[in-house]
Amino acid sequence: MMKRFILVIIMMISTLGIYSFTNNTLNAKKTSYASFYHDKFNGRKTASGEIFDNSKFTAANRTLPFGTKVKVTNLKNGKEVIVRINDRGPFHASRVLDITKAAFSEIGNTDLGTIPVSYEIVD
């Protein structure tokens, strides 16, 4: 009985290991909404420990590792910007990125507040 249990555990670990190598969804292009940071966050520490600066090209995401570069494309006009993840958030279910005002204004109108985007990890 114990040997069978151990064999099942080994098979499950092996299957999950193979799946993690074949599943490349982390680098796939995804779509969602992006918003931008309010100026009140200037000078505050981000989750990564950096000091926030709304004039730089950085962003917040709930799960991507700090330092990850992400290409963000406005789905309405096709404009693109590359940002670096240095914070956690946004804490709103309909948005996946909070980007700096500088990055947002490169691809969209800050009067809108949010824009539909596609995003993908770049090297």
Side-chain angles (χ1 to χ4, degrees):
M1 181 74 170
M2 187 64 166
K3 287 181 182 180
R4 180 175 284 167
F5 177 74
I6 291 172
L7 183 61
V8 169
I9 295 297
I10 291 171
M11 289 175 53
M12 288 174 58
I13 291 170
S14 299
T15 303
L16 291 173
I18 292 168
Y19 178 76
S20 69
F21 285 110
T22 59
N23 184 10
N24 199 13
T25 59
L26 183 64
N27 293 332
K29 187 180 274 192
K30 300 173 181 126
T31 59
S32 186
Y33 284 86
S35 56
F36 65 91
Y37 283 88
H38 190 278
D39 286 327
K40 72 180 182 181
F41 294 104
N42 271 323
R44 294 188 188 178
K45 268 191 181 178
T46 63
S48 69
E50 291 180 41
I51 301 300
F52 179 73
D53 184 345
N54 228 348
S55 67
K56 294 190 175 175
F57 285 49
T58 59
N61 178 270
R62 288 184 286 278
T63 58
L64 291 174
F66 295 138
T68 302
K69 291 185 179 174
V70 179
K71 180 169 71 171
V72 183
T73 305
N74 182 334
L75 293 176
K76 296 211 181 233
N77 63 18
K79 292 183 179 180
E80 301 174 342
V81 67
I82 294 178
V83 295
R84 182 178 48 82
I85 303 297
N86 73 339
D87 202 6
R88 291 291 172 231
F91 301 106
H92 193 280
S94 68
R95 296 191 299 269
V96 75
L97 293 167
D98 272 336
I99 62 179
T100 57
K101 191 180 275 188
F104 192 97
S105 64
E106 285 284 312
I107 61 172
N109 181 350
T110 55
D111 292 339
L112 298 177
T114 63
I115 52 174
V117 296
S118 67
Y119 62 101
E120 61 186 316
I121 295 172
V122 294
D123 293 328

